[in-house]
Amino acid sequence: MGLLKRTRWFYGMLAAGLLVALGGAITGFILLGDSWFQLLIAAALGIIFTQFAFIAHEASHRQVLESGPGNDRLGRFLAAGVVGMSYSWWMTKHTKHHVNPNKMGKDPDIDFDTISFTEEDARKQTGLLALITRKQGYLFFPLLTFEGYNLHFRSIKSLFTRQPIKGRWVEFTMIAVRFAIYFGAIFWLLPLGMAFAFVAVQMAVFGVYMGASFAPNHKGMPIIPADVKMDFFSKQVLTSRNVSGGWWASALMGGLNYQVEHHLFPSMPRPHLARAREIIREHCQNLDVPYTETTLIKSYGIVIEYLNRVGLQARDPFDCPLVNQFRRV
């Protein structure tokens, strides 16, 4: 049906639109000068950088261009040069996730990182981390305001490891130049306090937007034990959740709303995922395989409820249930 053919027109128009938006944000930043309205520009940049990250993600899956090396060059430029993250780090991490989504010991996306995604990790937490884990569902979105720092730090840290990394110095150079221009402009044109506020707002919006786009896809779906083997089709469908909404959800989430289709056909361009959804839903019905899809708001509710349920494993085993009941009252 031609659904795996490249759609360069779509990505060309999307990239052009984002470049115009980025140019507008830069122009607004220069014209506003010493004004607290700059925080609106910071928020806009957080959104724009996330949208560029979506295209880098799609390039890593060979969704954008016909050539594999061409996709890598595009993805590396957008990730390192525009967003400020290591493309090679993302490729390594995300490839492992796609091969074994939600599988314990195999999927890095469910490894402990402040948030516990499995009961085993929740039980290991002590002290402050245990306190956070108990309420991690409610704290999930507030914690995402720091996720931007975490993504930048972890990706840049990976470039200093001894393991072989393709394009290490290219990425390091692009990231260094990107941050030099970014921080140089902000701290040169804005007062010190406003400059720090600008960076904080931009990073908070970026972190929340990234986390809120990727979290609904697998969090709260079945976790596969390390010793369980599943066929490719079942593994990808049963661990993935779609978000309804059509074109607006696809624009908002960079195509991640079609998570089932994306995991079955990772190289399929974003514009074709909606048509693939119709075919795959019918196929799942014929095979009696559950196909999960819900609204964006309900998906967040599922994520929060799941994380809180996992977080209960961090309770003190000597807590008295009756005392806790009266504390809640």
Side-chain angles (χ1 to χ4, degrees):
M1 297 184 68
L3 298 183
L4 290 173
K5 291 182 179 178
R6 303 306 88 177
T7 55
R8 298 180 69 172
W9 60 269
F10 169 80
Y11 290 106
M13 292 175 60
L14 177 59
L18 289 177
L19 285 173
V20 170
L22 181 60
I26 294 173
T27 302
F29 173 79
I30 295 172
L31 294 178
L32 278 174
D34 184 356
S35 169
W36 284 104
F37 284 107
Q38 289 282 13
L39 299 186
L40 296 177
I41 300 296
L45 283 176
I47 295 172
I48 293 169
F49 289 148
T50 304
Q51 286 287 332
F52 274 116
F54 289 155
I55 301 181
H57 162 251
E58 291 171 286
S60 73
H61 283 294
R62 311 296 190 257
Q63 294 174 243
V64 182
L65 304 175
E66 289 85 355
S67 164
N71 275 295
D72 283 336
R73 286 192 291 269
L74 174 63
R76 181 167 284 110
F77 170 74
L78 292 177
V82 178
V83 182
M85 289 172 49
S86 167
Y87 177 75
S88 57
W89 169 79
W90 173 261
M91 280 281 288
T92 301
K93 175 178 179 293
H94 199 59
T95 299
K96 292 179 180 179
H97 159 71
H98 265 264
V99 174
N100 289 292
N102 275 18
K103 185 165 185 177
M104 296 179 63
K106 297 289 186 179
D107 183 0
D109 283 4
I110 61 173
D111 288 344
F112 173 77
D113 186 12
T114 306
I115 296 290
S116 294
F117 296 107
T118 65
E119 295 179 350
E120 288 77 2
D121 283 336
R123 282 193 286 266
K124 297 175 183 177
Q125 306 314 314
T126 59
L128 178 60
L129 283 177
L131 183 62
I132 293 174
T133 303
R134 292 170 201 165
K135 302 293 183 182
Q136 63 179 6
Y138 299 124
L139 294 174
F140 180 65
F141 285 98
L143 286 172
L144 285 181
T145 58
F146 300 99
E147 180 62 11
Y149 301 100
N150 184 44
L151 290 172
H152 286 298
F153 172 75
R154 291 178 63 191
S155 72
I156 295 172
K157 180 182 176 182
S158 70
L159 296 177
F160 290 92
T161 61
R162 294 184 177 181
Q163 62 186 25
I165 297 176
K166 186 177 181 179
R168 181 197 304 268
W169 292 110
V170 173
E171 290 188 14
F172 186 83
T173 301
M174 285 195 291
I175 291 173
V177 170
R178 187 264 189 192
F179 278 114
I181 295 173
Y182 175 76
F183 288 119
I186 292 172
F187 285 91
W188 179 43
L189 294 176
L190 299 180
L192 188 61
M194 190 180 297
F196 277 111
F198 186 98
V199 173
V201 170
Q202 186 266 297
M203 293 293 284
V205 171
F206 175 72
V208 171
Y209 193 3
M210 285 285 283
S213 298
F214 282 90
N217 306 330
H218 300 281
K219 304 300 181 285
M221 296 301 288
I223 299 292
I224 304 174
D227 58 346
V228 172
K229 294 184 178 181
M230 297 177 65
D231 64 273
F232 174 81
F233 177 76
S234 299
K235 177 170 56 178
Q236 302 297 342
V237 174
L238 295 177
T239 61
S240 301
R241 179 193 300 114
N242 276 16
V243 173
S244 60
W247 67 268
W248 70 264
S250 187
L252 179 68
M253 303 178 67
L256 295 171
N257 53 309
Y258 296 114
Q259 193 66 196
V260 174
E261 291 71 30
H262 174 59
H263 265 256
L264 289 174
F265 299 96
S267 64
M268 184 177 291
R270 193 191 308 182
H272 294 161
L273 293 172
R275 178 67 184 110
R277 169 183 171 274
E278 299 174 8
I279 300 171
I280 293 169
R281 282 192 67 174
E282 181 180 354
H283 186 63
C284 288
Q285 289 173 358
N286 293 336
L287 295 180
D288 197 26
V289 174
Y291 181 100
T292 303
E293 182 175 277
T294 187
T295 66
L296 184 61
I297 299 301
K298 287 184 178 178
S299 71
Y300 291 147
I302 292 170
V303 171
I304 292 171
E305 190 276 333
Y306 168 73
L307 291 178
N308 277 335
R309 187 172 68 250
V310 170
L312 292 177
Q313 299 301 314
R315 291 180 302 184
D316 188 336
F318 298 103
D319 277 354
C320 173
L322 185 61
V323 172
N324 287 334
Q325 181 180 350
F326 279 106
R327 282 176 179 170
R328 287 193 295 269
V329 174

